[in-house]
Amino acid sequence: MAAMVAERSLVRSLSRLYAFSQRQAQVCAYSSSTKHPFQGNGEGNSPTGHLTMTSSSKQLSTADIKKIPDAEVRKSVFISQSNDVFTNLALEDWIYRNFDLTNHHILMLWINKPSVVIGRHQNPFSETNVSALERNGIELARRNSGGGAVYHDPGNLNCTFFMPRARYDRKYNLTLLTRALYREYGINAELSARDDIVLLGKKIGGPRYRIPARCVQRTMAIRLQVDNQA
């Protein structure tokens, strides 16, 4: 319960900070389709029945994207109402592949039930005890980005930033998270040389990336509460 309260508070703070000064900002809660989480409604093959936005604009050059005034860049916060790791990874991947991020940037916030997520090129049998995961009802999933294996549970808040590569600002995203931690809990977290969020020298959050030519997907996982029995 304490972890859930803390996460809601941090979600509110991140949403406000991310959308600050944006007249067109919006915060939306998206849930899976009542029939099937990947059914959609026939418009854009969305993994949910509610989010159906596809790109219809022409591709702009890097120089043109950089010229777009900040005031014309819309920002939205998508809060997943699902705790299923496969649904959340699918939604994250759908936004990355289909959303037109030219002048509309996205922050997706999501929390999973107990699960282990491995990187795109990792061997699950080398990184995890697959039999132990099955015995304890812990899901095992593979994401499309690189990085190491991570454990998720309700004490872990995942924050995914989507934006064009031309407007990618690494420090902005990290600073947004540390500001939210200080604003809600008075925690003076710092950034390490490896872009991890650290507190008293201990890592409490770390990033993973997908940075192709078109856009950037950067996910940060913030550990708010530790289940010592897990």
Side-chain angles (χ1 to χ4, degrees):
M1 179 62 72
M4 293 177 62
V5 173
E7 285 158 354
R8 292 193 190 105
S9 179
L10 187 58
V11 164
R12 286 195 299 269
S13 183
L14 279 169
S15 299
R16 294 191 193 104
L17 288 171
Y18 184 73
F20 181 74
S21 78
Q22 291 290 324
R23 293 182 179 179
Q24 300 185 69
Q26 63 176 348
V27 178
C28 307
Y30 286 99
S31 59
S32 298
S33 168
T34 54
K35 295 182 179 179
H36 189 280
F38 300 98
Q39 181 172 347
N41 63 3
E43 300 177 11
N45 296 319
S46 165
T48 74
H50 308 275
L51 185 58
T52 54
M53 291 163 281
T54 55
S55 174
S56 59
S57 64
K58 64 179 181 180
Q59 289 286 340
L60 298 180
S61 67
T62 297
D64 288 336
I65 293 175
K66 287 182 178 180
K67 291 178 182 178
I68 299 175
D70 289 342
E72 295 182 11
V73 175
R74 182 178 181 181
K75 292 186 177 181
S76 295
V77 181
F78 294 163
I79 305 172
S80 174
Q81 301 301 289
S82 173
N83 296 125
D84 178 72
V85 61
F86 301 105
T87 298
N88 285 327
L89 287 174
L91 175 58
E92 183 185 55
D93 191 63
W94 186 89
I95 295 173
Y96 170 81
R97 294 177 183 275
N98 295 281
F99 204 95
D100 183 2
L101 299 165
T102 304
N103 59 354
H104 191 169
H105 302 177
I106 302 296
L107 169 60
M108 174 182 165
L109 301 174
W110 45 294
I111 298 168
N112 291 326
K113 293 181 292 187
S115 55
V116 172
V117 183
I118 61 174
R120 180 170 186 168
H121 304 292
Q122 288 189 305
N123 183 335
F125 297 98
S126 299
E127 299 295 331
T128 70
N129 185 330
V130 176
S131 297
L133 295 180
E134 292 178 348
R135 286 196 305 271
N136 290 279
I138 298 174
E139 300 281 10
L140 175 62
R142 184 187 297 278
R143 61 179 180 266
N144 278 325
S145 60
V150 293
Y151 174 71
H152 289 180
D153 64 17
N156 189 87
L157 176 64
N158 298 287
C159 316
T160 305
F161 297 87
F162 300 90
M163 69 211 72
R165 182 169 182 169
R167 297 185 71 95
Y168 175 52
D169 187 336
R170 176 172 56 89
K171 290 298 182 183
Y172 169 79
N173 296 339
L174 293 167
T175 302
L176 186 75
L177 295 172
T178 57
R179 286 176 60 197
L181 288 170
Y182 181 78
R183 178 173 177 171
E184 290 301 319
Y185 315 119
I187 295 175
N188 283 304
E190 299 176 338
L191 305 180
S192 72
R194 296 182 56 188
D195 287 348
D196 292 326
I197 297 179
V198 297
L199 179 64
L200 301 177
K202 303 295 184 180
K203 177 180 174 179
I204 62 171
R208 58 179 173 86
Y209 307 86
R210 292 172 77 181
I211 310 181
R214 183 180 66 89
C215 64
V216 173
Q217 171 190 321
R218 180 188 183 123
T219 301
M220 293 288 296
I222 304 295
R223 171 59 62 181
L224 298 177
Q225 181 169 312
V226 177
D227 182 359
N228 293 322
Q229 303 300 317

